[in-house]
């Protein structure tokens, strides 16, 4: 599995993080490690090839990733794969939603998750295959990342097939456009940042108003400065991610 990208900590934060871990009882550290240990694939009588298309809702043109996974992939493992392929950093809560049923990782404390869903319909991601909650071609479920910004993704089952004997279990098919920056205020916040981005582009071509210092600072703060391109997407890197999940 790919390692998660994390924001760099300033020295004071690193020291504080280290202090917290050093102060934790061994039993608590062991329990934390156990929570991170989950099955990547669950037993199944028949394993089929699922082609999924994950699309970030509310934005056009669409930001999406299309890839293949086995029907018995644990949905927590699938959640990690979506995070990596979309380009999220992975530091926020997430959950799958199908109707009134919510599926969250076991590592998420109940008091963090249940406030956003119905307690009686909360299930552990570790216990379910994707085929348990998405079995019909053309149907979809929702995957939400970051309950504050509320990035909602449609997870659609594009096709169901069988694997060739030498075919990789997880493979990348296609994707378009860059992932939005974290903590920017969700769809509406990102749309505001894109307006500033395109305003800067027009000004650079001599066809628009000059962006203000606050606008430029805002872009830099969210990593959307001169080197950012909302249309960019690295398919080769996405293939590498899928290859890592096959190891």
């Amino acid at each position: 599995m790919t390692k998660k990208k994390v924001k760099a900590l300033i020295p004071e934060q690193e020291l504080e993080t280290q202090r917290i871990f050093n102060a934790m009882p061994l039993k608590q550290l062991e329990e934390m490690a156990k929570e991170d240990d989950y099955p990547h694939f669950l037993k199944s009588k028949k394993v089929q090839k699922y082609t999924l298309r994950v699309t970030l809702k509310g934005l056009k043109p669409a930001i999406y990733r299309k890839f293949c996974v086995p029907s018995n992939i644990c949905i927590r493992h699938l959640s990690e794969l979506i995070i990596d392929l979309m380009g999220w950093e992975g530091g926020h809560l997430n959950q799958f939603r199908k109707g009134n049923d919510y599926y969250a990782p076991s590592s998420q404390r109940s008091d963090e998750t249940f406030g956003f869903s119905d307690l009686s319909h909360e299930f552990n991601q570790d216990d379910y295959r994707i085929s348990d909650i998405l079995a019909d071609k053309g149907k979809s479920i929702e995957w939400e990342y970051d309950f504050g910004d509320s990035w909602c993704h449609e997870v659609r089952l594009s096709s169901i097939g069988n694997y060739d004997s030498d075919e990789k279990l997880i493979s990348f098919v296609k994707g378009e456009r860059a992932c939005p920056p974290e903590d920017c205020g969700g769809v509406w916040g990102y749309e505001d940042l894109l307006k500033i981005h395109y305003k800067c582009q027009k000004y650079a071509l001599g066809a628009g108003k000059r962006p203000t210092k606050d606008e430029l600072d805002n872009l830099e703060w969210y990593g959307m400065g001169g080197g950012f391109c909302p249309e960019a997407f690295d398919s080769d890197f996405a293939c590498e991610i899928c290859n890592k999940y096959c190891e």
Side-chain angles (χ1 to χ4, degrees):
M1 187 195 301
T2 55
K3 292 182 179 178
K4 286 195 177 50
K5 299 173 286 183
V6 295
K7 292 181 179 178
L9 296 176
I10 60 175
E12 292 82 359
Q13 290 175 315
E14 291 176 345
L15 288 172
E16 178 63 12
T17 300
Q18 189 62 50
R19 185 194 67 75
I20 292 171
F21 273 91
N22 288 342
M24 283 183 179
L26 179 59
K27 186 177 181 181
Q28 186 175 351
L29 291 172
E30 289 175 345
E31 287 175 354
M32 287 175 63
K34 195 178 293 183
E35 284 180 346
D36 240 5
D37 186 19
Y38 62 93
H40 293 177
F41 305 95
L42 298 173
K43 290 182 180 180
S44 180
K45 290 182 179 179
K46 184 178 182 180
V47 177
Q48 294 180 294
K49 179 180 177 181
Y50 271 23
T51 302
L52 301 176
R53 176 179 164 125
V54 178
T55 306
L56 184 56
K57 291 183 174 182
L59 290 167
K60 290 185 179 181
I63 299 173
Y64 75 91
R65 310 290 183 255
K66 193 173 185 179
F67 53 94
C68 299
V69 296
S71 56
N72 69 331
I73 189 171
C74 172
I75 59 173
R76 180 171 173 187
H77 198 43
L78 175 60
S79 181
E80 299 285 344
L81 177 59
I82 293 173
I83 286 171
D84 285 345
L85 286 178
M86 287 300 299
W88 297 118
E89 295 178 4
H92 291 286
L93 304 180
N94 75 83
Q95 63 185 3
F96 285 97
R97 180 163 63 238
K98 180 181 181 181
N100 292 323
D101 295 336
Y102 298 80
Y103 302 81
S106 59
S107 56
Q108 288 180 194
R109 300 196 310 273
S110 59
D111 60 332
E112 287 179 325
T113 309
F114 291 156
F116 297 91
S117 58
D118 184 345
L119 179 64
S120 63
H121 294 280
E122 184 76 29
F123 303 98
N124 185 355
Q125 284 183 4
D126 300 17
D127 299 334
Y128 293 86
R129 314 167 191 84
I130 183 59
S131 59
D132 293 329
I133 61 174
L134 187 60
D136 299 320
K137 177 183 174 182
K139 297 293 185 180
S140 63
I141 55 176
E142 185 175 273
W143 180 76
E144 183 180 7
Y145 174 74
D146 183 354
F147 299 164
D149 280 3
S150 189
W151 297 105
C152 293
H153 305 64
E154 179 191 62
V155 182
R156 180 172 294 275
L157 180 51
S158 298
S159 66
I160 302 173
N162 296 313
Y163 282 101
D164 295 331
S165 58
D166 59 345
E167 193 173 0
K168 291 180 178 179
L169 287 178
I170 299 175
S171 59
F172 185 72
V173 178
K174 189 179 180 182
E176 289 188 3
R177 299 181 69 82
C179 183
E182 302 255 349
D183 304 317
C184 69
V187 169
W188 298 276
Y190 184 50
E191 287 179 333
D192 287 342
L193 289 170
L194 286 176
K195 289 176 184 177
I196 301 172
H197 172 80
Y198 291 125
K199 180 180 179 179
C200 291
Q201 283 190 332
K202 287 183 180 180
Y203 179 72
L205 296 172
K209 292 182 178 181
R210 179 172 184 164
T212 66
K213 183 180 183 303
D214 285 346
E215 288 175 329
L216 293 173
D217 288 346
N218 213 17
L219 287 183
E220 288 295 333
W221 177 262
Y222 289 107
M224 291 178 59
F228 179 81
C229 177
E231 291 82 19
F233 176 68
D234 190 342
S235 294
D236 291 336
F237 183 60
C239 290
E240 289 178 17
I241 290 173
C242 288
N243 288 338
K244 286 288 185 181
Y245 274 77
C246 290
E247 292 177 356

